[in-house]
Amino acid sequence: MLTGIPLLLLIAGSIIFIVVMGSKFKVNPFIVLLLAALLTGIFSGMPITDIANAANDGFGNMMKKIGLVVILGTLYRDWE
């Protein structure tokens, strides 16, 4: 599993991927974030089951706190 500088570079690459895919190619933000999380986990050397559990736990915790804001923001984008 990656640690230190290589892991920081991988995370920086993931952030760049998210920004480029979302702004230049107009890919759905949910798909971009999910793909970035999965690819970051795979390239960092995490087992696939741990990647799925981490993504599931992270999404679940986020939805507990700001789920309504995320849902309303998604609906607003679809109305445009």
Side-chain angles (χ1 to χ4, degrees):
M1 202 152 143
L2 287 179
T3 59
I5 299 298
L7 182 59
L8 290 175
L9 292 173
L10 178 61
I11 292 170
S14 296
I15 292 170
I16 292 169
F17 172 77
I18 291 167
V19 170
V20 168
M21 293 301 288
S23 63
K24 182 170 175 125
F25 297 108
K26 306 293 185 207
V27 180
N28 186 311
F30 177 77
I31 301 297
V32 173
L33 290 172
L34 183 61
L35 187 58
L38 292 175
L39 291 175
T40 301
I42 290 169
F43 289 136
S44 70
M46 287 178 70
I48 298 295
T49 54
D50 289 350
I51 295 170
N53 288 335
N56 191 25
D57 291 343
F59 184 73
N61 289 335
M62 179 199 61
M63 290 306 280
K64 285 180 196 174
K65 296 178 181 165
I66 62 167
L68 185 59
V69 173
V70 171
I71 291 169
L72 291 175
T74 303
L75 289 174
Y76 177 74
R77 182 176 177 169
D78 289 339
W79 287 340
E80 292 184 329

